[in-house]
Amino acid sequence: MTPVIEVTDLQKHYPVRKGLLRRQVGAVFAVDGVSFSINQGETLGLVGESGCGKSTVARTVMRLIEPTGGSIRLNGTDITGLSKAEMRPFRRQMQIVFQDPFSSLNPRMRAGDIVGEVLEVHHLTRGRATEARVAELFAQVGLRPAQMAGYPHQFSGGQRQRICIARALALDPQLIVCDEPVSALDVSIQAQVINLMMDLQRDKKLSYLFIAHDLAVVEHISHRVAVMYLGRIVEYADKRDLFLNPKHPYTEALLSAVPVPNPRLKRQKRILQGDVPSPMHPPPGCPFHTRCPYVEPRCRQDVPTLREVAPGHLVSCHLHGL
Ligand code: SF4
């Protein structure tokens, strides 16, 4: 089966320029060799601390920013080098939902027009047909057709995110990139939006690239999970495998901070020491060696490669070498 999206060795480096002549004096390695694929009806959770490059991956996959290297294949077609015009038919197949629903909605437009605009720009419907389709989309995301007349400020945070989801669904995409879609919402509302997304996935066989820093949310919605650190994936596995048997010390530390609902099952907390190093000057060897409790001399020199240590479970750490 061809994956809906297949990303290979994706890189995004930002040049750092200085002086009158704006000469390049370095680069920020925001994303540095990320690979993954997502099948139809599957959710890949992408987790990591702020600044690890998750959102840059989201925007690069959507071709909202240009990758420095690597390839992005959508349903088997390489879309990496396509021009804006060539990208147009592919845009319909993938949509994005951002973290802050308020700033991603035009405050001067009615909710119904925000969703309808997408349909008309892509010449899918006009006039009354647009209205009928928008009403249908509103119903799918749990909003009343009467709410189409409201402005964004008249909705709650959860409702605004529902409008964003309706807009994303308007073009009948196969892939939705969700960049921290519930982080700005109250916990009770988060659950409603996540459940809505899961229902829509079941009904429409949608694929999600779900980016979040809240591991409990990722555990709930994902089928597979990729853990990012300093622009690279350090662990990639089936959700169950990753949460029950994390192998990378960074994943271990992230999971140890997630509260366990059963008070008898206490996790040993591992507090990460130090800050995430600058992506402009990533440390030599293993990028995690400056904070790793198991660091060995070779970790300071040799870069570990991401390798399969169990079926479908990939880890980038010398402790799990061959
Ligand atoms: Fe820690 Fe070394 Fe593994 Fe990196 S390679 S995570 S420093 S043990």
Side-chain angles (χ1 to χ4, degrees):
M1 185 170 61
T2 311
V4 171
I5 189 106
E6 195 174 6
V7 171
T8 310
D9 197 24
L10 189 70
Q11 294 163 9
K12 179 66 196 173
H13 302 165
Y14 292 97
V16 177
R17 300 180 192 281
K18 257 192 181 166
L20 218 57
L21 298 176
R22 310 300 297 152
R23 281 234 291 269
Q24 186 174 344
V25 292
V28 173
F29 301 93
V31 176
D32 203 15
V34 163
S35 303
F36 59 82
S37 63
I38 309 175
N39 294 321
Q40 189 182 34
E42 188 186 37
T43 301
L44 175 71
L46 192 58
V47 298
E49 290 164 289
S50 303
C52 71
K54 307 182 297 273
S55 294
T56 310
V57 169
R59 284 162 176 73
T60 317
V61 164
M62 291 293 301
R63 291 281 322 273
L64 298 177
I65 49 179
E66 290 304 311
T68 311
S71 72
I72 305 156
R73 299 181 86 84
L74 187 64
N75 287 311
T77 308
D78 192 342
I79 59 162
T80 326
L82 299 187
S83 67
K84 258 191 177 166
E86 288 167 333
M87 265 306 288
R88 211 175 155 82
F90 295 99
R91 287 252 171 260
R92 284 174 56 176
Q93 296 174 35
M94 50 182 194
Q95 292 292 303
I96 187 162
V97 173
F98 293 104
Q99 174 178 0
D100 182 1
F102 200 49
S103 59
S104 59
L105 297 173
N106 185 340
R108 289 189 200 88
M109 283 176 78
R110 293 181 191 274
D113 295 337
I114 290 173
V115 178
E117 185 186 40
V118 182
L119 293 164
E120 299 207 344
V121 163
H122 284 265
H123 309 294
L124 291 179
T125 53
R126 298 194 68 179
R128 290 219 168 275
T130 300
E131 227 173 276
R133 176 74 180 126
V134 174
E136 199 183 305
L137 288 162
F138 266 50
Q140 283 176 10
V141 299
L143 295 170
R144 283 176 288 110
Q147 291 176 300
M148 286 161 57
Y151 287 93
H153 72 270
Q154 295 172 308
F155 293 88
S156 67
Q159 287 173 330
R160 281 197 284 264
Q161 200 56 298
R162 285 173 193 264
I163 299 170
C164 293
I165 294 172
R167 180 175 56 185
L169 290 175
L171 299 176
D172 226 354
Q174 288 177 283
L175 172 75
I176 300 187
V177 175
C178 314
D179 188 6
E180 305 261 11
V182 294
S183 309
L185 306 178
D186 290 345
V187 177
S188 58
I189 309 295
Q190 283 187 5
Q192 291 172 16
V193 173
I194 292 289
N195 289 339
L196 166 70
M197 292 180 71
M198 291 174 80
D199 290 345
L200 290 169
Q201 180 171 55
R202 239 188 333 268
D203 295 347
K204 296 174 180 291
K205 298 225 176 328
L206 286 167
S207 306
Y208 293 137
L209 172 61
F210 193 92
I211 292 165
H213 61 267
D214 183 339
L215 282 153
V217 170
V218 169
E219 185 177 13
H220 189 63
I221 196 170
S222 307
H223 298 99
R224 282 185 296 147
V225 179
V227 181
M228 269 190 89
Y229 186 76
L230 221 55
R232 299 176 192 186
I233 289 180
V234 295
E235 188 159 6
Y236 183 45
D238 188 77
K239 166 183 70 177
R240 226 181 121 71
D241 248 16
L242 189 114
F243 279 85
L244 285 179
N245 188 17
K247 295 194 185 294
H248 196 281
Y250 179 59
T251 315
E252 253 181 36
L254 285 183
L255 290 185
S256 78
V258 179
V260 186
N262 184 344
R264 276 179 289 181
L265 286 178
K266 278 211 171 129
R267 268 187 186 138
Q268 198 193 337
K269 277 222 176 219
R270 284 182 214 284
I271 309 290
L272 277 176
Q273 304 295 327
D275 292 326
V276 183
S278 158
M280 201 174 147
H281 303 289
C286 170
F288 189 55
H289 86 248
T290 53
R291 305 169 80 193
C292 181
Y294 311 110
V295 62
E296 296 176 352
R298 60 179 168 162
C299 305
R300 297 192 171 91
Q301 290 151 16
D302 305 335
V303 183
T305 49
L306 191 66
R307 64 181 102 202
E308 196 165 20
V309 295
H313 196 146
L314 284 79
V315 186
S316 156
C317 172
H318 292 309
L319 298 182
H320 299 280
L322 295 174

